[in-house]
């Protein structure tokens, strides 16, 4: 472990508990003024001209929309042509998505052809039946999150991984921001699954 060869097992456990408590406290506080965030953990924001459509930040200026290649433009046109079909499908969900639905095979074919980006989150929610699962498992996430805050042996590794996750993405760039907090809670809860 971390210089613990001379410590008893009880002292090691106490040290791990204290470290876990400190990490959880930092995520609870978030980006408050007294948050202790090293410069290397929190890069400055020089991003407005170098962010792509997915939120990733690039070192140099990105080409304008006019600079799309013919292939890229063709892909974008194809995706946009599918949007109306998917909007209709999502609005008539019972006809397309449940097993045995009238148009389910057609929906599967359209999935294989490609789901427009803006529809993917909604489609995943429907296909995984998240609303039903959340209803059946009400309070389970909160319970797992609380157990993890007190007992997860993986909190330190989760903290290290979060700081390395998508360092060049706008949503995860600031240390202890709300997105990093959300990711921390999900991973901590999952570590207790």
């Amino acid at each position: 472990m971390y210089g613990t060869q001379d410590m008893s097992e009880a002292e090691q456990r106490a040290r791990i508990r204290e470290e876990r408590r400190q990490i959880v406290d930092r995520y609870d506080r978030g980006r408050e003024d007294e948050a202790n965030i090293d410069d290397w953990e929190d890069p400055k924001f020089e991003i407005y001209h170098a962010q792509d459509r997915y939120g990733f930040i690039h070192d140099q200026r990105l080409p304008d929309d006019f600079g799309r290649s013919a292939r890229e433009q063709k892909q974008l046109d194809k995706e946009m042509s599918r949007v109306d079909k998917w909007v209709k499908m999502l609005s008539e969900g019972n006809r397309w998505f449940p097993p045995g639905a009238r148009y389910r095979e057609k929906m599967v074919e359209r999935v294989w052809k490609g789901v427009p980006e803006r529809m993917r989150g909604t489609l995943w929610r429907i296909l995984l039946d998240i609303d039903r699962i959340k209803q059946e498992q009400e309070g389970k996430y909160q319970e797992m999150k609380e157990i993890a805050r007190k007992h997860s042996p993986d909190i330190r590794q989760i903290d290290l991984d979060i700081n390395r996750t998508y360092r060049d993405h706008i949503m995860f760039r600031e240390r202890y921001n709300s997105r990093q907090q959300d990711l921390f809670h999900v991973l901590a809860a999952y570590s207790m699954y």
Side-chain angles (χ1 to χ4, degrees):
M1 279 175 79
Y2 325 102
T4 59
Q5 57 271 21
D6 297 330
M7 298 173 97
S8 70
E9 190 174 323
E11 290 171 323
Q12 290 177 9
R13 281 196 306 268
R15 184 174 181 179
I16 290 170
R17 273 194 308 274
E18 177 58 22
E19 183 178 46
R20 178 176 40 244
R21 187 194 62 73
Q22 289 174 359
I23 290 169
V24 168
D25 285 348
R26 284 196 298 266
Y27 281 95
D28 286 346
R29 281 195 313 269
R31 297 192 58 83
E32 294 177 357
D33 290 335
E34 65 269 359
N36 184 14
I37 302 170
D38 292 330
D39 285 340
W40 67 271
E41 291 184 304
D42 198 33
K44 305 294 180 245
F45 268 49
E46 299 161 359
I47 60 167
Y48 296 105
H49 69 281
Q51 180 180 340
D52 66 17
R53 71 182 187 152
Y54 303 105
F56 287 96
I57 299 163
H58 300 272
D59 289 337
Q60 66 274 0
R61 192 176 215 16
L62 298 174
D64 296 335
D65 288 344
F66 304 110
R68 286 192 182 108
S69 69
R71 182 174 161 260
E72 291 170 330
Q73 188 61 46
K74 185 177 176 181
Q75 277 182 306
L76 184 61
D77 292 343
K78 183 174 275 196
E79 181 173 324
M80 294 308 293
S81 73
R82 294 178 176 152
V83 168
D84 291 336
K85 293 176 187 177
W86 279 96
V87 167
K88 182 179 179 195
M89 287 170 57
L90 292 171
S91 69
E92 302 170 347
N94 289 335
R95 297 175 65 184
W96 295 87
F97 301 109
R102 183 174 179 187
Y103 297 113
R104 184 158 175 98
E105 290 303 314
K106 184 75 170 171
M107 182 270 302
V108 171
E109 287 176 25
R110 287 183 178 172
V111 167
W112 279 104
K113 287 181 179 179
V115 179
E117 273 182 54
R118 65 182 73 178
M119 308 295 176
R120 291 178 186 168
T122 304
L123 181 64
W124 275 113
R125 192 187 96 256
I126 291 169
L127 293 178
L128 294 173
D129 206 4
I130 296 297
D131 295 333
R132 179 188 56 81
I133 292 170
K134 282 173 71 175
Q135 195 172 31
E136 288 175 2
Q137 301 284 326
E138 191 172 348
K140 188 65 170 176
Y141 169 69
Q142 199 63 32
E143 175 188 337
M144 290 169 61
K145 191 168 93 170
E146 289 305 316
I147 292 171
R149 293 167 62 91
K150 296 174 184 165
H151 304 291
S152 176
D154 303 312
I155 291 292
R156 184 173 193 276
Q157 188 62 49
I158 290 168
D159 179 49
L160 293 171
D161 289 344
I162 285 174
N163 196 33
R164 297 186 286 230
T165 299
Y166 293 131
R167 293 291 298 163
D168 58 348
H169 194 279
I170 187 72
M171 290 172 46
F172 296 99
R173 196 164 169 88
E174 285 186 327
R175 189 69 166 133
Y176 304 120
N177 71 2
S178 63
R179 299 300 181 150
Q180 282 195 0
Q181 289 173 332
D182 292 343
L183 182 59
F184 173 78
H185 293 305
V186 167
L187 294 175
Y190 192 74
S191 74
M192 300 309 296
Y193 182 68

